[in-house]
Amino acid sequence: MDESALRRIREIKSNIEAMLVERQTLRDPGAPPSSYWTDFCSAFDYTLGLPESAFLKLRIHTYHFTAETYQTYYFGNADQFWATNHVTELTQGIPPELVINEPAGGIGFHYPCGRFLSEDTIRFQKVINTLYRSGIIGPLRERKASTVLEIGAGYGRLAHHISEVIPGVHYLIVDLPESLLFSAAYLTLQNPGKRIYLYEPTDDTEVTLSRIRNGAYDFALFPNYKIGVLRPLSFDLVLNTASLQEMKADQVERYLDFIRDTCAGVFYSRNQDRQPRNRELVSLNSMMRSRFQMTEIPEWRARVGAGSAVKRYVRSAARSLAVTLGLIPSASKEEDNPYRQFISTPLRS
């Protein structure tokens, strides 16, 4: 890692520490993380203490967001991974410029064809595929500049790929300060030539907004408790994957109201109605329906041949019999509360 990158990581850590101090001074009940995310933040608070050089291996620590570890690939079977994830079929009909790989320094399986794949690669490829097939990415690629907002970007992986497939995009992220440490560091390391702004409490907000409007930044990252300052902006696309489901109801309301009021294009969401362990939310989908016109996009499923279909039918029949006999539970929480993806437009009076 060169000295400029080390210096930038030091600055990022300093900014995050300043945000955490600022948050403690706020009386806003929506500022702290949900109980669900408080547990997670306490599990990866050690990352602030890592030396700057350790961020070269940041991907080793991103399991806190996606539960994906390097051991999966060290001990796993590459051929089985390819077949199980139907990699060839996954990108059929997708333009080559929209096909993504695990970035350098990542974790995953390397293939002779040049692909570098991980579970996160498959996950985010599906998001990009949905945006392409729904006619969203195409028009954004044709524009000279577009503005995208992601609520809860995790370690910044989707942001990185969207910035690759939509040239000239201005990408904003709003997230917990603890998470911004990951996304700011990841985007900095993966995009050394791009202009990245990370919120500082001492910055002049009006000056920052003016610079964002003028396209001064490729990425701009703000803590969740400062989302209000972004209301003068307008977004061509808003994204949220698997994080609204983990928030408190008042936080979800604030985000959904903000998206409804500022989204000039569409809002893509892929979430459960409520993460089963999150006791501070009742129904995300009902909250969305009161603010958006929602179109559900079916989850992608690989086509199966007749033989595979027969095997799947036999497994399903065997499972049904086992449920009837009381040998296994009727369904898992995942089946009772599936991930559903929606493309929505705001309902405005």
Side-chain angles (χ1 to χ4, degrees), residues 236-309:
D236 302 299
L237 171 63
V238 180
L239 302 162
N240 179 265
T241 61
S243 74
L244 285 173
Q245 65 187 32
E246 300 167 348
M247 300 180 191
K248 297 184 289 186
D250 61 333
Q251 292 173 324
V252 172
E253 286 184 342
R254 177 177 299 189
Y255 278 129
L256 293 182
D257 287 345
F258 177 87
I259 296 168
R260 178 196 59 201
D261 297 341
T262 61
C263 180
V266 298
F267 169 36
Y268 171 84
S269 166
R270 184 180 184 276
N271 284 277
Q272 294 174 287
D273 197 29
R274 176 183 65 84
Q275 211 290 335
R277 293 184 66 88
N278 179 15
R279 304 303 180 187
E280 296 174 289
L281 179 66
V282 176
S283 171
L284 169 62
N285 294 335
S286 64
M287 297 173 74
M288 288 180 60
R289 288 191 189 97
S290 67
R291 296 167 173 84
F292 300 93
Q293 180 66 46
M294 300 166 64
T295 300
E296 184 165 8
I297 309 298
E299 292 281 326
W300 181 82
R301 294 289 186 270
R303 297 183 185 90
V304 295
S308 298

Side-chain angles (χ1 to χ4, degrees), residues 51-68:
E52 287 74 34
S53 58
F55 281 79
L56 271 178
K57 296 182 178 179
L58 183 64
R59 192 71 171 85
I60 299 294
H61 303 275
T62 59
Y63 68 89
H64 293 289
F65 296 93
T66 62
E68 183 184 31

Side-chain angles (χ1 to χ4, degrees), residues 79-138:
D79 293 336
Q80 183 180 15
F81 181 89
W82 183 283
T84 301
N85 288 287
H86 307 278
V87 173
T88 301
E89 187 173 359
L90 175 63
T91 54
Q92 284 180 352
I94 301 299
E97 60 271 20
L98 301 187
V99 176
I100 65 174
N101 283 286
E102 177 78 21
I107 57 177
F109 289 118
H110 290 273
Y111 294 92
C113 64
R115 301 298 307 276
F116 182 20
L117 302 175
S118 66
E119 292 176 0
D120 282 357
T121 308
I122 302 300
R123 181 180 300 113
F124 294 125
Q125 182 70 67
K126 291 178 179 178
V127 174
I128 290 172
N129 290 358
T130 296
L131 295 176
Y132 170 72
R133 290 170 175 149
S134 301
I136 296 169
I137 281 186

Side-chain angles (χ1 to χ4, degrees), residues 4 6 8 12 40 60 63 67 74 88 95 125 132 166 177 189 197 210 214 219 227 241 276 282 303 312:
S4 62
L6 290 171
R8 183 58 185 143
I12 289 171
F40 276 87
I60 299 294
Y63 68 89
Y74 189 85
T88 301
Q125 182 70 67
Y132 170 72
I166 303 179
L189 295 173
Y197 170 78
S210 177
N214 293 328
F219 298 100
I227 191 171
T241 61
V282 176
R303 297 183 185 90
R312 187 169 61 181

Side-chain angles (χ1 to χ4, degrees), residues 158-175:
L158 182 58
H160 170 73
H161 289 306
I162 293 293
S163 72
E164 287 186 314
V165 303
I166 303 179
V169 69
H170 302 295
Y171 203 105
L172 279 77
I173 291 173
V174 174
D175 211 336

Side-chain angles (χ1 to χ4, degrees), residues 174-241:
V174 174
D175 211 336
L176 297 171
E178 293 91 339
S179 298
L180 291 180
L181 172 64
F182 285 80
S183 53
Y186 186 81
L187 292 171
T188 294
L189 295 173
Q190 292 296 334
N191 302 273
K194 292 189 176 181
R195 304 157 299 173
I196 301 176
Y197 170 78
L198 177 61
Y199 169 80
E200 285 191 70
T202 57
D203 286 348
D204 186 312
T205 301
E206 291 301 319
V207 172
T208 301
L209 286 180
S210 177
R211 289 174 178 168
I212 290 174
R213 288 195 194 94
N214 293 328
Y217 307 112
D218 298 297
F219 298 100
L221 294 79
F222 290 84
N224 63 309
Y225 60 83
K226 297 299 291 187
I227 191 171
V229 307
L230 303 178
R231 277 194 167 271
L233 302 179
S234 177
F235 304 100
D236 302 299
L237 171 63
V238 180
L239 302 162
N240 179 265
T241 61

